[in-house]
Amino acid sequence: MAAPILVEYDSPVLRITFNRPKRLNALTTGMLTLAADAVEAAGSDTGVRLVVLRGAGRAFCAGADLAGDADGTLPGTDTIDAANRLTLGLREIPQPVLAAVGGPAVGVGCSVALAADVTVARASAYFLLAFAQVGLMPDGGATALVPAAIGRARATRMAMLAERVAAPVAEEWGLIAHCVPDAAFDDEVERLTQQLAQGPTAAYARAKHAVNASSLAQLRSALDIEREGQTQLFATADFTEGVAAFREKRRPEFSGK
């Protein structure tokens, strides 16, 4: 069985790939933990000048795996903790992080993609905070990352209406750095990879620190609030119904309980 997370070091670039293409790279707690481990280790490795995130196959990431881990366990507080580690790692390591979004970035997968310093997307990709569809709130830092990029009104729309935001619209809104035509995507990712990996590492680190301080100073607080809220929502009837509807491929009937 293929490893669900691929961590490949090609000096000076560390590439992390979500590798469950048949499940659209849906993330388990274990996968989030492995990715967080790799990112944190990269942060203290002077040989790494750039971290690149990708998804295998036709999706970047479909979000948390609602089919559960290998034992069928649904996402829970441990999943939130692992996702928070990954988001904080991506924002706090000194190296730049490039997210190459070649397909849908959904749920916590959207959060992870937006936690990168530079997010480039294939034109046919989209971004979706799908949490409300299963009776949950955004997590993985989305409640800080998204409004910092596009403002409160659009962030609330994404969180509550769970609408797809096509990559060209995401670029127009300022949610991502830019999108490129599908046929040019791989070449553009390689161009950015080479430029960032060969750039002024110390200057990048200082710029990243300053951007975090000015636009994401409340990230840790947002993660704590998300964790508290999501933990409570995991116990609701609406979450149970949302998961059942997802598995049965029907519209959920929420009761507000």
Side-chain angles (χ1 to χ4, degrees):
M1 180 181 296
I5 294 285
L6 300 179
V7 180
E8 302 165 298
Y9 179 57
D10 181 14
S11 181
V13 179
L14 184 74
R15 291 180 171 85
I16 301 174
T17 304
F18 303 135
N19 190 40
R20 297 179 73 203
K22 292 183 179 179
R23 295 282 301 146
L24 300 182
N25 302 317
L27 294 169
T28 64
T29 303
M31 290 172 67
L32 286 163
T33 299
L34 289 171
D37 288 345
V39 169
E40 290 171 357
S44 58
D45 186 343
T46 57
V48 175
R49 295 170 63 95
L50 172 69
V51 174
V52 178
L53 296 176
R54 298 195 71 150
R58 61 189 180 91
F60 178 78
C61 175
D65 189 356
L66 293 181
D69 283 337
D71 61 359
T73 302
L74 284 173
T77 305
D78 57 342
T79 311
I80 301 297
D81 291 340
N84 288 355
R85 274 187 61 209
L86 179 54
T87 293
L88 281 175
L90 295 171
R91 291 310 317 149
E92 294 184 352
I93 62 172
Q95 300 94 330
V97 177
L98 171 65
V101 180
V106 178
V108 73
C110 180
S111 304
V112 169
L114 300 180
D117 298 294
V118 178
T119 303
V120 59
R122 196 186 301 268
S124 60
Y126 62 83
F127 299 82
L128 171 62
L129 295 180
F131 300 92
Q133 295 176 349
V134 292
L136 295 177
M137 65 176 287
D139 60 27
T143 60
L145 296 164
V146 177
I150 62 175
R152 181 187 63 83
R154 283 173 170 162
T156 302
R157 175 177 174 177
M158 286 185 69
M160 293 188 175
L161 299 185
E163 298 172 333
R164 295 183 180 185
V165 178
V169 176
E171 179 186 37
E172 178 186 346
W173 283 2
L175 188 65
I176 63 173
H178 65 294
C179 72
V180 294
D182 286 17
F185 177 71
D186 289 336
D187 287 343
E188 178 65 1
V189 170
E190 183 59 25
R191 184 189 72 80
L192 288 169
T193 297
Q194 295 304 315
Q195 180 176 344
L196 290 167
Q198 295 169 12
T201 305
Y204 287 160
R206 290 291 184 176
K208 181 170 183 172
H209 178 73
V211 169
N212 283 344
S214 64
S215 65
L216 290 172
Q218 301 302 314
L219 177 58
R220 284 183 174 268
S221 175
L223 290 170
D224 289 341
I225 292 170
E226 289 173 358
R227 186 184 191 279
E228 179 183 4
Q230 208 75 303
T231 299
Q232 294 177 6
L233 291 169
F234 284 144
T236 64
D238 277 351
F239 176 57
T240 300
E241 165 61 11
V243 171
F246 173 82
R247 291 176 171 178
E248 296 164 12
K249 299 181 179 180
R250 60 174 174 81
R251 292 179 62 87
E253 297 181 5
F254 293 127
S255 64
K257 299 180 181 179

